[in-house]
Amino acid sequence: MKPDTTINQLRHFVGQEVVLSGWAYNVRSSGKIVFLLLRDGTGLCQCVVEKNEQTEPFFESAKRTTQESSVTISGLVREEPRAEGGYELAVSGFELLHAAKDYPITPKAHGIDFLMRHRHLWFRSRRQEVILKIRATLTDAIRRFFNDNGYVNIDTPIFSPAAGEGASTLFSVDYFGEPVYLAQTGQLYVEAACMAHRKVYCFGPTFRAEKSKTRRHLTEFWMVEPEIAFAELDDVLAVAEDFIISLRDRVLRDHREHLQFLGRDLAQLERIRKPFVRLRYNDAIELLHSDAAQQLLQRDLEAKNQQITTLEQELAEATEKAKSAAKQWEKDKAAAREIEIREELAELREQVANIPHHVELAKNFQWGKDLGGSDETIISRLHEQPVFCTHYPKQVKAFYMKVNKQDPRLVNNFDLLAPEGFGEIIGGSQREDEYDVLLERIHEEGLPVEPYEWYLDLRRYGSVPHGGFGLGVERTLCWLAGLKHIREAIPYARMMGKIYP
Ligand code: 4AD
């Protein structure tokens, strides 16, 4: 009996016969030899079928195997440094389980809209497989950090009677005739739980009716939210710092090769260390008004224009090759590159068109406004380490944030900006623990008091300083894996106008 195994275990079977089952990722043949690249969910393996007496019964069917057909293949494991994964299979047995006909995602490239509509199949592409494997490690690392550090996991409801964040991004659903909302955050509920357990966290999907079609916004995303009793702003920052370092360490440890495959610059991740930058909102404004900010954007403009010129040349070459290359696979490859370049160019041109606007926004940034995406990008790009931006004006932040004692115009909050312009990945704060101040903030925000009575109870019975934060899984994955768009960072992205499949 040949042992059934998987591609990631082949190193244990060199010189032995094994059985692999999977899907045909790619099939090439030349005369008396077929190269079938097998995909089995654990890796890729080149299976080599040489035409001889033993392979005669199945050689032709191996040769005719179409992309994504399911197969069982047996053969001898050989070390082959040049092959993907380092091993290959000299095939001695082959069985077609199911023949796939006209698999829609071919080696020719497809536009992003097509791929998103075929997300259920796009999963099988190498890049998508790698990204979602890293995501699975990231969510495990998130749970581990809190479980290993004495936090109790508290599951919070998805149906909620009141807004947790701003009222403008609520999804409402009909709850037996009553309108209720999909949770924007579990925070208010974990605040109650931390008064019972001291350190807690919730981790689940959250919903925002964000009417913005940016590369950073989903309408459904996953957020982890720790909440800590007897903690002030600085204590929360220290936890966030250790947490980020632990996530970076774990992903680097388990996915070095995957990150390289995605083209991630590992040095950028490796150089991150404590302490992160601490920058007050007031100082952030000065930075936005500075010459350094203007020069950064000017350099960006020049670099992007240069990239456009280079890509335009490459596009012309690819177009020519797609028409006139000798081999069909060369034509397909060039056509694939053509589509990619067109998408890259469209993106770059949009960015270039936006830069003058970003220059104006930064130059004219006025105290009292929230930092926008482009402002965050500038601030983070002017620093090597992640930046904690703290002490925002209270009018741009949620009602529950602790009003600052020294300057009551401000709150004790923070956003963490990931390096390299990946934007905000954490939002957090110390919470308002004084009954009267909180009630006043609820009134100021024009919120109804009744749905928050239970929340006010926490300030009636043994109130203590406490705080916490929320980290978005998808934004964090974009930063760690170097993804330009958040749609690839979640198995089934939900965005404005996108809900299929
Ligand atoms: O800053 P936010 O809105 O904070 C809260 O919800 C707090 N209640 C958290 C807390 O203190 N317990 O969101 C926190 C993080 C953001 O930094 C971002 O990573 C992610 O959640 N996030 C989004 N991710 C994808 N799409 C969106 N529309 C997001 N909105 C927020």
Side-chain angles (χ1 to χ4, degrees):
M1 269 282 283
K2 301 170 190 170
D4 276 340
T5 189
T6 49
I7 292 170
N8 61 348
Q9 298 300 314
L10 288 180
R11 65 184 182 281
H12 304 303
F13 294 97
V14 177
Q16 290 179 51
E17 292 260 341
V18 297
V19 182
L20 293 174
S21 48
W23 298 264
Y25 198 61
N26 188 22
V27 184
R28 295 183 289 128
S29 61
S30 64
K32 297 194 164 175
I33 192 157
V34 177
F35 296 101
L36 187 152
L37 191 60
L38 186 74
R39 174 180 81 69
D40 79 342
T42 75
L44 288 170
C45 174
Q46 172 164 280
C47 301
V48 187
V49 196
E50 284 181 65
K51 193 172 182 177
N52 58 34
E53 257 169 52
Q54 195 200 356
T55 60
E56 192 65 60
F58 57 75
F59 182 84
E60 285 305 319
S61 71
K63 189 168 157 181
R64 283 196 308 270
T65 300
T66 48
Q67 188 193 353
E68 287 304 318
S69 291
S70 45
V71 295
T72 297
I73 303 181
S74 54
L76 182 74
V77 182
R78 293 194 293 230
E79 244 170 305
E80 174 48 88
R82 285 168 305 173
E84 173 94 36
Y87 303 92
E88 66 173 22
L89 208 68
V91 177
S92 56
F94 178 92
E95 187 191 347
L96 179 70
L97 301 178
H98 179 257
K101 196 163 166 277
D102 301 330
Y103 184 71
I105 305 178
T106 64
K108 297 179 193 172
H110 304 276
I112 188 66
D113 289 336
F114 178 89
L115 292 169
M116 287 299 284
R117 286 192 69 76
H118 291 82
R119 184 57 164 164
H120 52 298
L121 301 176
W122 193 25
F123 276 152
R124 307 181 190 193
S125 302
R126 180 84 175 129
R127 178 179 159 88
Q128 300 309 311
E129 185 201 330
V130 161
I131 292 171
L132 292 184
K133 282 195 163 91
I134 301 174
R135 179 186 166 108
T137 299
L138 177 62
T139 53
D140 182 52
I142 287 171
R143 289 202 171 82
R144 251 166 224 261
F145 177 85
F146 292 113
N147 292 341
D148 291 349
N149 286 289
Y151 290 72
V152 178
N153 182 204
I154 299 290
D155 298 318
T156 51
I158 284 173
F159 288 136
S160 37
E165 297 293 321
S168 63
T169 61
L170 285 171
F171 277 115
S172 99
V173 285
D174 178 86
Y175 192 74
F176 306 113
E178 293 270 313
V180 299
Y181 309 107
L182 298 183
Q184 296 167 304
T185 168
Q187 179 202 317
L188 277 53
Y189 294 100
V190 280
E191 277 186 60
C194 88
M195 300 303 163
H197 300 275
R198 198 170 190 111
K199 296 203 288 184
V200 297
Y201 73 99
C202 62
F203 190 15
T206 33
F207 305 86
R208 304 271 168 103
E210 299 269 13
K211 288 212 172 80
S212 43
K213 293 184 175 176
T214 77
R215 64 190 63 238
R216 290 174 184 173
H217 286 94
L218 293 165
T219 53
E220 177 177 337
F221 63 95
W222 280 65
M223 179 157 62
V224 63
E225 296 180 89
E227 192 69 27
I228 312 157
F230 301 101
E232 301 194 354
L233 183 63
D234 283 339
D235 305 308
V236 180
L237 294 185
V239 173
E241 214 166 43
D242 286 339
F243 178 49
I244 291 294
I245 295 281
S246 81
L247 299 182
R248 184 279 310 265
D249 286 350
R250 173 75 187 281
V251 165
L252 263 184
R253 188 193 83 189
D254 291 1
H255 292 283
R256 194 160 268 279
E257 279 173 24
H258 285 155
L259 292 169
Q260 275 163 337
F261 169 82
L262 295 173
R264 185 66 174 109
D265 181 353
L266 297 185
Q268 297 281 359
L269 294 178
E270 277 160 348
R271 73 167 183 214
I272 289 176
R273 53 181 53 88
K274 298 197 289 181
F276 298 173
V277 178
R278 281 146 172 87
L279 185 73
R280 286 178 167 248
Y281 172 90
N282 287 349
D283 300 324
I285 297 185
E286 266 181 40
L287 205 56
L288 289 175
H289 291 164
S290 71
D291 289 345
Q294 299 296 315
Q295 284 158 5
L296 176 82
L297 291 171
Q298 190 53 40
R299 282 199 305 276
D300 269 5
L301 190 63
E302 284 158 21
K304 284 187 200 295
N305 276 326
Q306 181 57 47
Q307 262 174 297
I308 289 176
T309 313
T310 314
L311 278 174
E312 279 170 344
Q313 279 163 5
E314 209 194 316
L315 180 64
E317 283 160 28
T319 310
E320 176 56 31
K321 216 167 169 187
K323 269 192 238 133
S324 58
K327 300 235 165 65
Q328 187 57 41
W329 70 265
E330 283 176 319
K331 284 187 179 166
D332 290 350
K333 203 170 152 191
R337 186 66 194 127
E338 223 185 303
I339 295 184
E340 267 172 25
I341 298 174
R342 281 188 204 286
E343 279 183 356
E344 279 174 51
L345 275 173
E347 225 167 81
L348 276 169
R349 290 198 180 110
E350 198 188 317
Q351 289 169 10
V352 164
N354 282 332
I355 287 179
H357 180 52
H358 294 165
V359 170
E360 287 307 305
L361 282 177
K363 229 187 335 201
N364 302 322
F365 190 95
Q366 302 238 336
W367 194 96
K369 267 182 50 189
D370 202 0
L371 295 173
S374 63
D375 305 317
E376 290 174 358
T377 305
I378 295 168
I379 295 166
S380 91
R381 299 244 334 267
L382 290 171
H383 296 92
E384 296 244 311
Q385 298 297 329
V387 180
F388 284 122
C389 219
T390 68
H391 301 94
Y392 286 55
K394 70 176 175 192
Q395 71 256 32
V396 296
K397 289 292 165 187
F399 72 96
Y400 53 71
M401 294 184 179
K402 175 84 184 160
V403 176
N404 186 271
K405 289 280 180 220
Q406 283 80 44
D407 184 348
R409 296 175 308 159
L410 309 178
V411 283
N412 292 352
N413 80 306
F414 73 99
D415 281 347
L416 179 67
L417 311 182
E420 302 166 74
F422 279 96
E424 178 205 318
I425 56 174
I426 293 185
S429 72
Q430 186 178 340
R431 319 305 184 189
E432 186 50 74
D433 52 330
E434 290 178 49
Y435 179 88
D436 295 339
V437 184
L438 182 61
L439 189 62
E440 197 185 310
R441 287 290 292 128
I442 290 176
H443 287 312
E444 267 174 22
E445 294 292 316
L447 294 165
V449 179
E450 208 266 340
Y452 297 100
E453 278 300 340
W454 69 269
Y455 187 65
L456 285 161
D457 269 354
L458 308 177
R459 283 75 181 165
R460 288 188 182 107
Y461 307 111
S463 190
V464 298
H466 65 287
F469 61 83
L471 168 131
V473 169
E474 294 75 19
R475 297 243 187 116
T476 306
L477 183 58
C478 283
W479 162 55
L480 289 169
L483 311 179
K484 284 199 219 138
H485 201 296
I486 199 161
R487 66 191 160 214
E488 284 183 301
I490 185 162
Y492 296 96
R494 298 299 181 232
M495 289 175 286
M496 202 181 156
K498 280 210 168 53
I499 195 96
Y500 178 91

